């Protein structure tokens, strides 16, 4: 199990703090809090509570995705202490990122990460995608992005956006 190192939160990524136990992947809430730029764990606990509520509202048992555990931390001079932590499934991490503070750049990046991963899986599960050539598969996301950019420009135009300054504000 990886040790919690609060001195390097920005060098860690979501996948770098992933753990495995008997083939099952999980993340620890205190490590995830640091990666998501929450310096005060109490603030992060509120996000976890929202994520638990979202899981329950979706008809899932939060205990399947948010498991209470304890982890050891170093206190200095070789001393160690157990602290409460939460073992999170990938789905729990997704819910946490979706309920996090979007003004934090890392949360916004996390939301994008999960959106892209979800879309990749949707595309791979689509039978039509499997019938495409390698070049067509590679170009498909570009075409989708162009389509979404056109829709965004249309929405901006309908909202009265006409000048470059208007687009910057929009």
């Amino acid at each position: 199990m990886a040790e919690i190192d609060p001195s390097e939160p920005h060098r860690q990524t979501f996948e770098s703090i992933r753990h495995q136990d008997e083939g099952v992947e999980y993340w620890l809430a205190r490590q995830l809090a640091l990666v998501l730029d929450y310096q005060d764990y109490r603030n992060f606990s509120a996000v976890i509570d929202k994520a638990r509520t979202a899981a329950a509202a979706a008809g899932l048992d939060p205990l399947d995705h948010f498991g209470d555990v304890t982890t050891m931390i170093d206190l200095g001079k070789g001393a160690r202490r157990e602290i409460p932590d939460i073992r999170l499934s990938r789905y729990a991490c997704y819910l946490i990122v979706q309920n996090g503070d979007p003004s934090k750049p890392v949360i916004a990046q996390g939301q994008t990460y999960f959106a892209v991963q979800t879309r990749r899986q949707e595309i791979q599960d689509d039978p039509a995608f499997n019938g495409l050539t390698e070049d067509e598969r590679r170009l498909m996301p570009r075409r989708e992005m162009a389509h979404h950019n056109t829709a965004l420009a249309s929405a901006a135009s309908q909202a009265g956006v006409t000048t470059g300054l208007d687009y910057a504000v929009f």
Side-chain angles (χ1 to χ4, degrees):
M1 183 180 303
E3 292 293 319
I4 298 171
D5 185 0
S7 67
E8 295 186 327
H10 298 292
R11 292 194 177 130
Q12 294 180 321
T13 64
F14 177 69
E15 291 299 333
S16 74
I17 61 168
R18 180 173 53 94
H19 300 269
Q20 280 201 331
D21 184 15
E22 297 180 17
V24 176
E25 65 181 8
Y26 68 94
W27 288 259
L28 293 171
R30 290 187 182 271
Q31 288 178 328
L32 184 61
L34 293 173
V35 168
L36 295 179
D37 204 23
Y38 282 88
Q39 301 306 313
D40 188 348
Y41 189 73
R42 287 175 294 174
N43 294 337
F44 191 65
S45 293
V47 176
I48 293 172
D49 291 341
K50 286 182 185 179
R52 280 186 173 143
T53 301
L60 301 171
D61 184 354
L63 295 176
D64 290 342
H65 301 280
F66 302 85
D68 291 330
V69 296
T70 57
T71 54
M72 297 294 287
I73 61 167
D74 293 324
L75 298 175
K77 295 186 180 182
R80 295 175 56 90
R81 181 180 70 169
E82 283 190 346
I83 57 171
D85 208 339
I86 303 169
R87 183 174 163 157
L88 306 166
S89 69
R90 183 175 289 270
Y91 179 68
C93 294
Y94 166 80
L95 291 176
I96 287 168
V97 168
Q98 295 307 329
N99 285 284
D101 180 359
S103 69
K104 293 178 180 284
V106 70
I107 293 288
Q109 291 169 357
Q111 290 171 344
T112 300
Y113 168 83
F114 280 112
V116 167
Q117 296 296 26
T118 300
R119 184 61 186 141
R120 280 185 181 159
Q121 190 62 48
E122 288 172 349
I123 289 171
Q124 288 178 355
D125 290 348
D126 185 355
F129 179 76
N130 294 325
L132 299 176
T133 67
E134 187 63 36
D135 285 340
E136 290 171 328
R137 289 180 189 181
R138 189 174 42 79
L139 293 173
M140 186 178 190
R142 292 181 187 175
R143 285 189 211 118
E144 281 190 17
M145 187 59 73
H147 172 73
H148 291 298
N149 285 341
T150 302
L152 181 61
S154 175
S157 177
Q158 290 174 0
V161 174
T162 56
T163 68
L165 180 60
D166 292 341
Y167 273 101
V169 172
F170 179 77

